[in-house]
Amino acid sequence: DVKVTQSSRYLVKRTGEKVFLECVQDMDHENMFWYRQDPGLGLRLIYFSYDVKMKEKGDIPEGYSVSREKKERFSLILESASTNQTSMYLCASSSSGQETQYFGPGTRLLVL
Amino acid sequence: KQEVTQIPAALSVPEGENLVLNCSFTDSAIYNLQWFRQDPGKGLTSLLLIQSSQREQTSGRLNASLDKSSGRSTLYIAASQPGDSATYLCAVDKTSYDKVIFGPGTSLSVIP
């Protein structure tokens, strides 16, 4: 079975802190994605990556950056956390040509 | 810009009923459409994927149909069970690069 893991289920940070959210997949997938999910707004794509060291902006990249140094790991970075970044963050991966995305369990981030 | 809507936003049915969830999209030039299930506080699980050339897909008690020309998809759940209670999201993919657009979801509650 495909497994996508995220480093934390719950995270509490203070405004201005640098936050790292880690995502690891064990199926050698080329594609990886970071979404945030908010009530009434649904899932919105922040960044995605089709290959190691490659990244593309999604629909709401402002305030975020990403890193993909290894194929299995895709990190989301909040350089200076703000309260409006309180959200549920979901990571996903897929294999090129397979199309189905596999999601991690999510990280619920609270920024105080 | 592709927009995806889902009706109803919430649905409550007694156990054993057959039900239909609706998904609409504004741009019919899609590569595929997927239905996902999300349990509270958790990630998404892919249920069915319909390629643009297909009309429907079935998995157990679930049947999803696709009408590209009208920009609609339906998810039919037969003989609903309390374990079906979850949020159901549809997502459309415009290209083969897996950058999908999600609908807001339908929250389903099946009452024993």
Side-chain angles (χ1 to χ4, degrees):
Chain A
D1 281 350
V2 174
K3 192 168 185 182
V4 180
T5 57
Q6 295 183 228
S7 50
S8 304
R9 291 301 307 276
Y10 301 95
L11 210 50
V12 181
K13 295 292 181 181
R14 297 209 173 272
T15 302
E17 280 193 74
K18 189 170 186 176
V19 182
F20 292 87
L21 302 182
E22 302 282 341
C23 176
V24 178
Q25 49 93 6
D26 66 358
M27 284 303 291
D28 201 35
H29 284 171
E30 294 82 10
N31 310 322
M32 296 189 75
F33 309 83
W34 274 107
Y35 296 90
R36 64 177 284 177
Q37 185 177 29
D38 302 285
L41 297 176
L43 270 83
R44 293 179 291 169
L45 181 64
I46 305 171
Y47 267 97
F48 57 102
S49 170
Y50 294 137
D51 203 350
V52 176
K53 295 190 186 295
M54 178 273 177
K55 60 184 178 184
E56 291 284 344
K57 292 181 179 179
D59 299 318
I60 51 164
E62 296 78 19
Y64 303 94
S65 62
V66 291
S67 172
R68 193 161 181 204
E69 295 297 317
K70 294 184 177 181
K71 191 175 185 181
E72 68 270 19
R73 188 180 298 270
F74 192 34
S75 302
L76 180 69
I77 304 157
L78 288 67
E79 294 290 342
S80 177
S82 63
T83 55
N84 62 14
Q85 292 179 309
T86 290
S87 186
M88 173 73 140
Y89 290 88
L90 291 163
C91 173
S93 71
S94 70
S95 177
S96 294
Q98 189 178 35
E99 297 150 354
T100 297
Q101 291 192 15
Y102 296 87
F103 281 79
T107 295
R108 191 167 292 280
L109 172 67
L110 173 62
V111 182
L112 300 174
Chain B
K1 180 182 176 184
Q2 178 74 272
E3 291 185 4
V4 182
T5 56
Q6 292 185 245
I7 294 174
L11 182 63
S12 183
V13 300
E15 181 178 2
E17 271 202 11
N18 303 326
L19 59 100
V20 175
L21 307 181
N22 297 290
C23 173
S24 298
F25 46 95
T26 54
D27 186 348
S28 62
I30 64 170
Y31 187 72
N32 62 48
L33 182 144
Q34 296 186 64
W35 283 93
F36 290 86
R37 168 185 172 138
Q38 185 177 29
D39 292 292
K42 297 190 177 178
L44 279 67
T45 301
S46 179
L47 297 173
L48 291 164
L49 184 150
I50 312 176
Q51 299 285 359
S52 62
S53 59
Q54 297 174 324
R55 298 284 294 185
E56 65 177 346
Q57 283 285 340
T58 298
S59 176
R61 294 182 294 108
L62 305 180
N63 175 276
S65 68
L66 174 64
D67 184 344
K68 271 184 28 175
S69 60
S70 66
R72 293 182 181 179
S73 175
T74 62
L75 179 67
Y76 175 83
I77 302 177
S80 59
Q81 303 171 358
D84 294 331
S85 297
T87 297
Y88 291 82
L89 298 96
C90 70
V92 297
D93 191 352
K94 186 171 174 64
T95 73
S96 62
Y97 293 106
D98 302 320
K99 185 182 173 186
V100 300
I101 306 296
F102 286 85
T106 292
S107 177
L108 172 65
S109 178
V110 180
I111 311 300

